[in-house]
Amino acid sequence: MSNSMNDTTRTATAPVPNNPNPIAKQDAMIEIDDVSFSYDHGQTNVLRNISFDIPAGKVTALIGPSGCGKSTLLRCLNRMNDLVDTSKVTNGQIRIMGQDINASDVDPIELRKQVGMVFQKYNPFPKSIYDNVAYGLRIQGIKNKPKLDEAVERSLRRAALWGEVKDRLGSSALGLSGGQQQRLCIARTIAVSPRIVLMDEPCSALDPIATARIEELIAELREEFTIVIVTHNMQQATRVSDRTAFFYIGELIEYDSTAKIFSNPSVKQTEEYITGRFG
Amino acid sequence: MNNSPHILRDFDTAIAALKGEVLNMAAKSRHNLERAVQALMDRNRELANSVIADDDDVDELERTIDRLGMDILVKYHPMATDLRLVVSSMKISMNLERISDHAVNIAKRSKKIMASPELNDVNLIEPLYTLADQLLRDAIASYSDGNSMLGASLHARDKELDRMDKDATAQLGSRIEDTEGRSQDYLHLIFIIRSLERVGDLASNIGEDAVYLERAKDLRHMSKSDREMPEQA
């Protein structure tokens, strides 16, 4: 992907009711511009005219009730939805570092090297711990053993897992606890040095201790990666994210700093959702 | 304040209980203040004693409100207006407890004044009490009715009480020099006036808490211009 961000002059987004404190354009890693999305050849849009910018080097939380479109939007960011034949972006553009990711010349595989993803259910490959982390690097053609060793160790350290697995790198990843498997998946994701890490409810299957470890990890990774996290856990969103976007039935209702959203949201629907009055 | 019901009905019950206890405490504190001043005016020792005794109820209510607030924080992880309601309710209860303490101070000093013959200058207290009570009444109303404009108005209105405190204190101070043998009683009156002035400050604090609850705006230590608030839509 080209990095056209630096050579494009941009102006700040004008404040809009659902996005009263927009980030400066030059701080945006991801620009979501009037995006609509459909799973049924464009007959029904499950996302409608979504516009907001996701800042680089920050954690952005997407929240909202089930079916609001937050996970769909997350999967739009690395074109995971391409795997559904009938799906398509029906309107607007998603730009990452200035590049329209749905442009015909963008290879989704290349895109996903830049935009990694961690899923709700940890999904290590039925391989060794080492091979899981080295997997993406090998696909990229890196065969040099010392180089792989170094990358595996670095990624496991960054995922706060090295100390727990360094003596059993050859053991099956499936023998790790749930929390460890999820951190291994994070290590596998960051091993290929993406710019963006997408997380779709990464802690929903974990106990509170394992959740705390992942949250601590997110806090450490935010300096190096742009992180977008979908979570149903409001407290988690307040703890880990810098900005929060609230969605409802396919629309962006409000996007602001996390502190503002959870202490004094501007839109009544947001307030009703986060205070448990919705529905 | 968002009055829509929560999906969790127990959450509504807990919020209502918390707010109810704050209003109960407010009524008791205000009543204690009223009776303390009444005891001074009527030289009613029994009434002064009951004010002193009833302060325990107010202290207990402060503990109850803290417990209810903590329970809500632990059980429901409140956000936005709900979180502000818990925080402001706990802060308001602290201010109310202090108001009741001032009522006790007034009652205790009244009993000492009652040990000597009647003192006409006791009447100087009345206008100060009237204004302090108005401020307290409006502070409670700003919280219970979600009236942030009323809450925000208290700070400026408290200035008048400060001015009255200064004038009355100066007047009583000069009497100490003129009146032989009653200097202790005049000192008691000066401290009673000081207590009423403090009630005005505490009412103003409650008003600020009510503004925080409704508008999420922290007015503390703000300049006059920063305190100005637009009417809420």
Side-chain angles (χ1 to χ4, degrees):
Chain A
M1 283 182 30
S2 66
N3 186 350
S4 59
M5 268 200 78
N6 297 332
D7 48 42
T8 310
T9 307
R10 293 160 198 276
T11 54
T13 309
V16 291
N18 69 353
N19 189 2
N21 300 301
I23 62 162
K25 275 289 178 192
Q26 63 268 22
D27 296 332
M29 170 64 82
I30 306 170
E31 296 164 85
I32 300 167
D33 187 1
D34 201 23
V35 167
S36 298
F37 178 85
S38 167
Y39 280 117
D40 54 6
H41 298 292
Q43 288 180 40
T44 320
N45 282 329
V46 293
L47 291 174
R48 288 184 298 281
N49 307 104
I50 308 293
S51 290
F52 69 109
D53 296 338
I54 293 175
K58 303 277 183 198
V59 180
T60 299
L62 310 183
I63 64 166
S66 298
C68 69
K70 55 193 186 300
S71 291
T72 298
L73 179 65
L74 195 75
R75 288 195 298 268
C76 284
L77 301 181
N78 67 349
R79 290 181 56 181
M80 285 289 284
N81 290 321
D82 287 10
L83 303 173
V84 181
D85 289 342
T86 55
S87 72
K88 68 170 180 178
V89 173
T90 55
N91 187 63
Q93 264 191 2
I94 296 172
R95 294 183 292 276
I96 292 180
M97 294 183 291
Q99 167 77 54
D100 175 7
I101 64 168
N102 291 298
S104 55
D105 60 341
V106 172
D107 176 357
I109 307 296
E110 288 302 310
L111 171 69
R112 287 172 204 145
K113 286 181 190 167
Q114 295 290 321
V115 189
M117 191 158 190
V118 177
F119 297 88
Q120 182 174 0
K121 182 80 181 95
Y122 34 88
N123 54 354
F125 303 132
K127 293 172 176 285
S128 70
I129 294 167
Y130 183 99
D131 287 344
N132 263 276
V133 183
Y135 189 83
L137 297 163
R138 284 179 173 142
I139 284 184
Q140 287 185 4
I142 299 168
K143 306 284 184 212
N144 181 293
K145 181 76 167 63
K147 211 169 178 179
L148 282 174
D149 287 351
E150 192 271 327
V152 167
E153 179 176 342
R154 190 180 65 242
S155 302
L156 286 169
R157 281 188 189 281
R158 281 149 93 199
L161 193 58
W162 176 251
E164 294 162 57
V165 302
K166 65 178 190 293
D167 298 325
R168 48 174 173 150
L169 293 174
S171 306
S172 169
L174 303 180
L176 297 173
S177 71
Q180 288 173 324
Q181 288 190 36
Q182 190 63 303
R183 278 182 283 150
L184 178 66
C185 292
I186 293 173
R188 186 178 65 190
T189 302
I190 62 180
V192 295
S193 300
R195 302 293 295 264
I196 297 163
V197 177
L198 309 177
M199 296 184 169
D200 193 356
E201 294 203 59
C203 303
S204 64
L206 302 180
D207 66 40
I209 301 296
T211 296
R213 291 216 168 94
I214 299 284
E215 289 182 6
E216 176 62 18
L217 181 55
I218 291 171
E220 284 171 18
L221 295 177
R222 73 182 349 139
E223 296 190 355
E224 207 170 338
F225 306 98
T226 298
I227 298 174
V228 187
I229 180 170
V230 165
T231 179
H232 273 127
N233 182 330
M234 300 292 136
Q235 282 70 43
Q236 181 167 72
T238 59
R239 284 192 297 264
V240 304
S241 70
D242 302 290
R243 293 184 70 84
T244 296
F246 169 58
F247 292 85
Y248 184 57
I249 326 180
E251 289 179 7
L252 175 65
I253 304 299
E254 187 169 356
Y255 177 54
D256 209 325
S257 73
T258 296
K260 178 77 168 62
I261 289 279
F262 287 101
S263 63
N264 187 25
S266 303
V267 182
K268 194 177 178 205
Q269 262 175 313
T270 315
E271 162 106 16
E272 301 221 318
Y273 178 70
I274 62 168
T275 58
R277 291 181 165 93
F278 219 73
Chain B
M1 187 71 199
N2 193 331
N3 291 320
S4 311
H6 291 91
I7 295 166
L8 270 177
R9 275 181 292 176
D10 279 355
F11 193 178
D12 283 332
T13 308
I15 289 275
L18 175 69
K19 211 169 168 184
E21 290 296 12
V22 173
L23 294 177
N24 185 18
M25 186 179 181
K28 280 189 189 297
S29 297
R30 190 175 167 215
H31 188 50
N32 279 354
L33 185 68
E34 181 192 1
R35 289 187 305 157
V37 173
Q38 195 66 49
L40 172 69
M41 296 297 173
D42 297 350
R43 298 174 66 80
N44 185 337
R45 187 172 292 274
E46 202 176 317
L47 190 59
N49 283 335
S50 65
V51 169
I52 295 163
D54 290 351
D55 184 50
D56 287 347
D57 295 346
V58 174
D59 291 346
E60 184 54 37
L61 277 166
E62 187 189 21
R63 282 189 285 268
T64 302
I65 287 163
D66 280 359
R67 184 176 49 74
L68 291 173
M70 284 299 292
D71 282 353
I72 292 173
L73 292 173
V74 169
K75 282 189 193 170
Y76 303 106
H77 305 282
M79 297 280 186
T81 49
D82 294 331
L83 180 58
R84 297 202 303 275
L85 177 75
V86 174
V87 171
S88 55
S89 294
M90 290 166 84
K91 288 173 72 181
I92 286 171
S93 84
M94 203 167 69
N95 285 314
L96 291 171
E97 191 274 332
R98 288 184 188 164
I99 286 171
S100 188
D101 283 349
H102 283 294
V104 169
N105 288 343
I106 292 169
K108 284 181 176 171
R109 290 187 186 278
S110 297
K111 282 170 65 182
K112 288 180 178 160
I113 293 171
M114 283 173 220
S116 305
E118 202 159 333
L119 195 64
N120 283 339
D121 285 326
V122 161
N123 293 328
L124 280 172
I125 302 296
E126 203 157 4
L128 280 110
Y129 163 70
T130 302
L131 181 53
D133 182 58
Q134 277 173 8
L135 295 176
L136 179 55
R137 183 193 60 202
D138 288 349
I140 297 164
S142 68
Y143 169 76
S144 65
D145 303 343
N147 187 339
S148 54
M149 297 302 286
L150 183 62
S153 73
L154 293 168
H155 181 76
R157 291 164 62 198
D158 180 45
K159 299 285 179 209
E160 172 62 11
L161 188 59
D162 293 348
R163 190 194 58 73
M164 289 166 77
D165 162 46
K166 211 171 162 186
D167 290 352
T169 302
Q171 211 174 332
L172 292 171
S174 66
R175 294 275 209 287
I176 293 176
E177 294 163 11
D178 304 341
T179 319
E180 278 190 23
R182 299 300 298 265
S183 57
Q184 276 299 321
D185 292 335
Y186 277 106
L187 275 175
H188 288 312
L189 276 182
I190 287 171
F191 279 113
I192 286 171
I193 286 171
R194 182 59 47 82
S195 278
L196 291 171
E197 186 274 328
R198 286 294 298 141
V199 167
D201 292 343
L202 295 164
S204 175
N205 291 350
I206 293 172
E208 288 173 349
D209 290 331
V211 171
Y212 177 70
L213 168 59
E214 288 305 311
R215 303 275 191 107
K217 186 170 179 182
D218 187 351
L219 295 182
R220 291 173 304 170
H221 316 300
M222 274 192 177
S223 65
K224 193 181 170 190
S225 58
D226 289 337
R227 286 178 158 267
E228 281 172 12
M229 292 196 310
E231 289 276 356
Q232 207 153 20

Short mmCIF file of all heavy atoms in Angstrom, two decimals, chain A residues 139-174:
data_model
loop_
_atom_site.label_atom_id
_atom_site.label_comp_id
_atom_site.label_asym_id
_atom_site.label_seq_id
_atom_site.Cartn_x
_atom_site.Cartn_y
_atom_site.Cartn_z
N ILE A 139 5.06 -17.41 5.42
CA ILE A 139 4.26 -17.13 4.21
C ILE A 139 4.84 -15.96 3.44
O ILE A 139 4.82 -15.90 2.23
CB ILE A 139 2.78 -16.87 4.61
CG1 ILE A 139 2.12 -18.20 4.94
CG2 ILE A 139 2.02 -16.14 3.52
CD1 ILE A 139 0.66 -18.12 5.25
N GLN A 140 5.42 -15.03 4.20
CA GLN A 140 6.06 -13.88 3.55
C GLN A 140 7.40 -14.26 2.92
O GLN A 140 8.06 -13.43 2.31
CB GLN A 140 6.28 -12.75 4.56
CG GLN A 140 4.99 -12.05 4.95
CD GLN A 140 5.24 -10.86 5.87
OE1 GLN A 140 6.38 -10.52 6.18
NE2 GLN A 140 4.17 -10.25 6.32
N GLY A 141 7.82 -15.51 3.12
CA GLY A 141 9.03 -15.99 2.46
C GLY A 141 10.27 -15.98 3.33
O GLY A 141 11.38 -16.23 2.85
N ILE A 142 10.08 -15.68 4.61
CA ILE A 142 11.25 -15.66 5.50
C ILE A 142 11.54 -17.09 5.95
O ILE A 142 10.73 -17.72 6.63
CB ILE A 142 11.00 -14.73 6.71
CG1 ILE A 142 10.75 -13.31 6.22
CG2 ILE A 142 12.18 -14.77 7.68
CD1 ILE A 142 10.21 -12.37 7.25
N LYS A 143 12.70 -17.59 5.57
CA LYS A 143 13.05 -18.99 5.90
C LYS A 143 14.24 -19.04 6.86
O LYS A 143 14.51 -20.07 7.46
CB LYS A 143 13.43 -19.76 4.61
CG LYS A 143 12.37 -19.71 3.52
CD LYS A 143 11.21 -20.64 3.83
CE LYS A 143 10.20 -20.64 2.67
NZ LYS A 143 8.85 -20.83 3.11
N ASN A 144 14.96 -17.93 6.92
CA ASN A 144 16.19 -17.88 7.72
C ASN A 144 15.88 -18.14 9.20
O ASN A 144 15.14 -17.39 9.84
CB ASN A 144 16.79 -16.47 7.54
CG ASN A 144 18.06 -16.30 8.31
OD1 ASN A 144 18.04 -16.30 9.52
ND2 ASN A 144 19.16 -16.17 7.59
N LYS A 145 16.46 -19.24 9.74
CA LYS A 145 16.11 -19.70 11.09
C LYS A 145 16.43 -18.64 12.17
O LYS A 145 15.56 -18.32 13.00
CB LYS A 145 16.83 -21.02 11.37
CG LYS A 145 16.55 -21.63 12.75
CD LYS A 145 15.19 -22.29 12.80
CE LYS A 145 14.97 -23.17 14.01
NZ LYS A 145 15.00 -22.53 15.29
N PRO A 146 17.66 -18.11 12.20
CA PRO A 146 17.95 -17.10 13.23
C PRO A 146 16.99 -15.90 13.14
O PRO A 146 16.57 -15.36 14.16
CB PRO A 146 19.39 -16.66 12.93
CG PRO A 146 19.97 -17.78 12.16
CD PRO A 146 18.86 -18.40 11.37
N LYS A 147 16.64 -15.53 11.92
CA LYS A 147 15.73 -14.39 11.74
C LYS A 147 14.34 -14.73 12.28
O LYS A 147 13.69 -13.92 12.96
CB LYS A 147 15.64 -14.06 10.24
CG LYS A 147 15.39 -12.59 9.96
CD LYS A 147 15.57 -12.31 8.49
CE LYS A 147 15.28 -10.84 8.19
NZ LYS A 147 15.47 -10.53 6.80
N LEU A 148 13.90 -15.96 11.99
CA LEU A 148 12.60 -16.40 12.50
C LEU A 148 12.62 -16.49 14.02
O LEU A 148 11.68 -16.05 14.70
CB LEU A 148 12.23 -17.77 11.91
CG LEU A 148 11.70 -17.79 10.49
CD1 LEU A 148 11.52 -19.22 10.01
CD2 LEU A 148 10.40 -17.02 10.35
N ASP A 149 13.73 -17.05 14.56
CA ASP A 149 13.86 -17.17 16.02
C ASP A 149 13.73 -15.80 16.68
O ASP A 149 13.03 -15.63 17.68
CB ASP A 149 15.23 -17.76 16.40
CG ASP A 149 15.32 -19.24 16.07
OD1 ASP A 149 14.28 -19.84 15.71
OD2 ASP A 149 16.43 -19.80 16.16
N GLU A 150 14.42 -14.87 16.07
CA GLU A 150 14.44 -13.52 16.64
C GLU A 150 13.03 -12.90 16.59
O GLU A 150 12.54 -12.32 17.57
CB GLU A 150 15.44 -12.67 15.86
CG GLU A 150 15.80 -11.34 16.48
CD GLU A 150 14.87 -10.21 16.05
OE1 GLU A 150 14.38 -10.23 14.89
OE2 GLU A 150 14.61 -9.35 16.89
N ALA A 151 12.34 -13.10 15.46
CA ALA A 151 10.99 -12.52 15.30
C ALA A 151 9.99 -13.20 16.22
O ALA A 151 9.11 -12.54 16.81
CB ALA A 151 10.54 -12.66 13.84
N VAL A 152 10.12 -14.52 16.38
CA VAL A 152 9.21 -15.25 17.27
C VAL A 152 9.39 -14.77 18.71
O VAL A 152 8.41 -14.47 19.41
CB VAL A 152 9.44 -16.78 17.16
CG1 VAL A 152 8.74 -17.53 18.30
CG2 VAL A 152 8.96 -17.30 15.81
N GLU A 153 10.65 -14.66 19.13
CA GLU A 153 10.89 -14.20 20.50
C GLU A 153 10.37 -12.78 20.71
O GLU A 153 9.70 -12.48 21.71
CB GLU A 153 12.39 -14.27 20.83
CG GLU A 153 12.66 -13.78 22.26
CD GLU A 153 14.12 -13.91 22.70
OE1 GLU A 153 14.87 -14.67 22.05
OE2 GLU A 153 14.48 -13.24 23.68
N ARG A 154 10.67 -11.92 19.74
CA ARG A 154 10.23 -10.52 19.87
C ARG A 154 8.70 -10.43 19.96
O ARG A 154 8.15 -9.73 20.81
CB ARG A 154 10.75 -9.71 18.68
CG ARG A 154 10.57 -8.19 18.85
CD ARG A 154 11.07 -7.39 17.67
NE ARG A 154 10.31 -7.66 16.47
CZ ARG A 154 10.81 -8.17 15.36
NH1 ARG A 154 12.10 -8.49 15.28
NH2 ARG A 154 10.03 -8.39 14.31
N SER A 155 8.03 -11.19 19.10
CA SER A 155 6.56 -11.13 19.09
C SER A 155 5.97 -11.69 20.37
O SER A 155 5.01 -11.14 20.93
CB SER A 155 6.00 -11.91 17.89
OG SER A 155 6.53 -11.38 16.71
N LEU A 156 6.56 -12.80 20.85
CA LEU A 156 6.04 -13.39 22.10
C LEU A 156 6.31 -12.47 23.28
O LEU A 156 5.50 -12.38 24.20
CB LEU A 156 6.67 -14.77 22.32
CG LEU A 156 6.13 -15.88 21.41
CD1 LEU A 156 7.00 -17.13 21.51
CD2 LEU A 156 4.67 -16.22 21.73
N ARG A 157 7.46 -11.80 23.25
CA ARG A 157 7.74 -10.83 24.32
C ARG A 157 6.73 -9.69 24.28
O ARG A 157 6.21 -9.27 25.31
CB ARG A 157 9.16 -10.27 24.18
CG ARG A 157 10.24 -11.19 24.69
CD ARG A 157 11.60 -10.48 24.70
NE ARG A 157 12.68 -11.40 25.00
CZ ARG A 157 12.99 -11.84 26.22
NH1 ARG A 157 12.29 -11.41 27.26
NH2 ARG A 157 13.98 -12.69 26.39
N ARG A 158 6.47 -9.17 23.07
CA ARG A 158 5.53 -8.04 22.95
C ARG A 158 4.12 -8.48 23.37
O ARG A 158 3.33 -7.66 23.82
CB ARG A 158 5.50 -7.50 21.52
CG ARG A 158 6.71 -6.60 21.23
CD ARG A 158 7.08 -6.71 19.79
NE ARG A 158 6.47 -5.72 18.95
CZ ARG A 158 6.36 -5.84 17.63
NH1 ARG A 158 6.80 -6.92 17.03
NH2 ARG A 158 5.82 -4.89 16.93
N ALA A 159 3.84 -9.76 23.18
CA ALA A 159 2.52 -10.27 23.58
C ALA A 159 2.52 -10.74 25.03
O ALA A 159 1.55 -11.38 25.47
CB ALA A 159 2.11 -11.41 22.66
N ALA A 160 3.58 -10.43 25.75
CA ALA A 160 3.70 -10.76 27.18
C ALA A 160 3.51 -12.26 27.43
O ALA A 160 2.89 -12.67 28.41
CB ALA A 160 2.69 -9.95 28.00
N LEU A 161 4.04 -13.07 26.52
CA LEU A 161 3.87 -14.52 26.64
C LEU A 161 5.21 -15.26 26.71
O LEU A 161 5.26 -16.42 27.08
CB LEU A 161 3.05 -15.01 25.42
CG LEU A 161 2.48 -16.42 25.46
CD1 LEU A 161 1.56 -16.60 26.67
CD2 LEU A 161 1.71 -16.72 24.17
N TRP A 162 6.28 -14.56 26.38
CA TRP A 162 7.58 -15.21 26.26
C TRP A 162 7.98 -15.96 27.54
O TRP A 162 8.37 -17.13 27.50
CB TRP A 162 8.64 -14.16 25.89
CG TRP A 162 10.04 -14.70 25.84
CD1 TRP A 162 11.05 -14.46 26.71
CD2 TRP A 162 10.58 -15.60 24.85
NE1 TRP A 162 12.18 -15.13 26.35
CE2 TRP A 162 11.92 -15.84 25.21
CE3 TRP A 162 10.07 -16.21 23.71
CZ2 TRP A 162 12.75 -16.66 24.46
CZ3 TRP A 162 10.89 -17.04 22.96
CH2 TRP A 162 12.21 -17.26 23.34
N GLY A 163 7.84 -15.28 28.67
CA GLY A 163 8.25 -15.89 29.94
C GLY A 163 7.52 -17.18 30.23
O GLY A 163 8.07 -18.09 30.86
N GLU A 164 6.28 -17.28 29.75
CA GLU A 164 5.47 -18.46 30.05
C GLU A 164 5.71 -19.60 29.07
O GLU A 164 5.39 -20.75 29.38
CB GLU A 164 3.98 -18.07 30.03
CG GLU A 164 3.60 -17.11 31.15
CD GLU A 164 2.28 -16.40 30.89
OE1 GLU A 164 1.26 -17.08 30.70
OE2 GLU A 164 2.27 -15.15 30.88
N VAL A 165 6.24 -19.32 27.90
CA VAL A 165 6.34 -20.38 26.89
C VAL A 165 7.76 -20.62 26.37
O VAL A 165 7.97 -21.53 25.54
CB VAL A 165 5.40 -20.11 25.68
CG1 VAL A 165 3.96 -19.99 26.13
CG2 VAL A 165 5.84 -18.86 24.92
N LYS A 166 8.71 -19.85 26.82
CA LYS A 166 10.04 -19.91 26.20
C LYS A 166 10.68 -21.30 26.28
O LYS A 166 11.50 -21.65 25.43
CB LYS A 166 10.98 -18.84 26.78
CG LYS A 166 11.33 -18.99 28.24
CD LYS A 166 12.30 -17.87 28.63
CE LYS A 166 12.91 -18.06 29.99
NZ LYS A 166 11.97 -17.96 31.12
N ASP A 167 10.29 -22.07 27.29
CA ASP A 167 10.87 -23.41 27.44
C ASP A 167 10.07 -24.51 26.75
O ASP A 167 10.40 -25.68 26.87
CB ASP A 167 11.00 -23.75 28.93
CG ASP A 167 11.91 -22.77 29.65
OD1 ASP A 167 12.89 -22.33 29.02
OD2 ASP A 167 11.61 -22.41 30.81
N ARG A 168 9.01 -24.12 26.09
CA ARG A 168 8.20 -25.15 25.41
C ARG A 168 7.68 -24.64 24.07
O ARG A 168 6.51 -24.83 23.72
CB ARG A 168 7.05 -25.62 26.29
CG ARG A 168 6.25 -24.51 26.93
CD ARG A 168 5.05 -25.09 27.65
NE ARG A 168 4.35 -24.06 28.40
CZ ARG A 168 3.07 -24.08 28.65
NH1 ARG A 168 2.31 -25.05 28.18
NH2 ARG A 168 2.49 -23.13 29.35
N LEU A 169 8.55 -23.99 23.34
CA LEU A 169 8.14 -23.42 22.05
C LEU A 169 7.72 -24.50 21.06
O LEU A 169 6.92 -24.24 20.15
CB LEU A 169 9.29 -22.59 21.44
CG LEU A 169 9.64 -21.31 22.22
CD1 LEU A 169 10.89 -20.66 21.60
CD2 LEU A 169 8.48 -20.33 22.22
N GLY A 170 8.25 -25.71 21.25
CA GLY A 170 7.90 -26.79 20.33
C GLY A 170 6.62 -27.51 20.69
O GLY A 170 6.12 -28.34 19.92
N SER A 171 6.05 -27.15 21.85
CA SER A 171 4.80 -27.81 22.27
C SER A 171 3.61 -27.27 21.48
O SER A 171 3.66 -26.15 20.95
CB SER A 171 4.54 -27.57 23.75
OG SER A 171 5.65 -27.95 24.50
N SER A 172 2.55 -28.09 21.49
CA SER A 172 1.36 -27.68 20.75
C SER A 172 0.74 -26.42 21.37
O SER A 172 0.61 -26.32 22.60
CB SER A 172 0.32 -28.80 20.77
OG SER A 172 -0.92 -28.31 20.30
N ALA A 173 0.35 -25.51 20.53
CA ALA A 173 -0.32 -24.28 20.99
C ALA A 173 -1.65 -24.62 21.65
O ALA A 173 -2.13 -23.85 22.50
CB ALA A 173 -0.55 -23.34 19.81
N LEU A 174 -2.22 -25.74 21.29
CA LEU A 174 -3.54 -26.09 21.84
C LEU A 174 -3.45 -26.51 23.31
O LEU A 174 -4.47 -26.62 23.99
CB LEU A 174 -4.19 -27.20 21.01
CG LEU A 174 -4.36 -26.85 19.52
CD1 LEU A 174 -5.00 -28.01 18.76
CD2 LEU A 174 -5.18 -25.59 19.33
#
